[in-house]
């Protein structure tokens, strides 16, 4: 019916259906922007709603590239050394085996990166849980006499999913 004209009754039914569905399932974005301090490993916490359980469906991340990597005898290139790990506070478990370089999980990533959509990532958080984002922004050990200098990086994370309000 998308390409056809809908009747008033069909539109009313569609709106009423959406209103009823939203009482039990609502789309929701959890957003946190933070600074990953240079040469630091730390964490930030996003408290989740007490409205009901949250099911994470995808993640979008943007990051700056203020740090530099200079090859032996070469010119400095801007890099982001930040690595992330997501954890559920209630379960106490991580959603990855180790820290993941932000470039591997970020979309759109840094300013010059094309935007190609969110990274699908499914995870269940119980009502009242919190998402802990651990970060490590320490410069990596140099290879082949390169020089790595860590600087503060801005990381913006948007977790998209659904809240299931508990009507109890």
């Amino acid at each position: 019916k998308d390409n056809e004209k809908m009747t008033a009754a069909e539109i009313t039914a569609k709106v009423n259906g959406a209103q009823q569905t939203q009482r039990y399932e609502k789309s929701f974005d959890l957003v946190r922007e933070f600074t990953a301090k240079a040469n630091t490993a730390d964490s930030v916490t996003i408290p989740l709603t007490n409205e009901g359980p949250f099911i994470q469906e995808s993640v979008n991340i943007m990051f700056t590239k203020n740090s530099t990597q200079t090859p032996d005898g070469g010119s400095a290139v801007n890099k982001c050394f930040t690595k992330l790990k997501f954890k559920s506070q209630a379960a106490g478990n991580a959603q990855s085996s180790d820290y993941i370089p932000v470039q591997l999980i970020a979309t759109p990533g840094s300013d010059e990166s094309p935007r190609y959509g969110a990274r699908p990532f499914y995870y269940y958080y119980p009502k009242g849980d919190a998402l802990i984002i651990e970060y490590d922004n320490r410069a990596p050990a140099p290879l082949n006499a390169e020089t790595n200098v860590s600087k503060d990086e801005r990381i913006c994370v948007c977790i998209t999913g659904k809240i299931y309000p508990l009507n109890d």
Side-chain angles (χ1 to χ4, degrees), residues 38-50:
N39 295 308
T40 302
D42 202 352
S43 67
V44 296
T45 300
I46 303 176
L48 302 180
T49 179
N50 282 318

Side-chain angles (χ1 to χ4, degrees), residues 146-159:
E146 70 190 5
T147 304
N148 296 317
V149 178
S150 176
K151 302 238 175 116
D152 290 358
E153 302 291 358
R154 183 174 341 172
I155 309 293
C156 185
V157 177
C158 178
I159 306 283

Side-chain angles (χ1 to χ4, degrees), residues 100-142:
I100 302 171
V102 71
Q103 296 89 337
L104 293 178
I105 57 175
T107 169
S110 61
D111 286 340
E112 71 274 1
S113 300
R115 177 157 175 71
Y116 57 88
R119 174 183 182 246
F121 198 90
Y122 186 88
Y123 193 84
Y124 168 84
Y125 295 92
K127 176 180 176 178
D129 196 359
L131 167 62
I132 300 168
I133 303 172
E134 295 181 350
Y135 71 85
D136 184 340
N137 191 24
R138 293 177 286 194

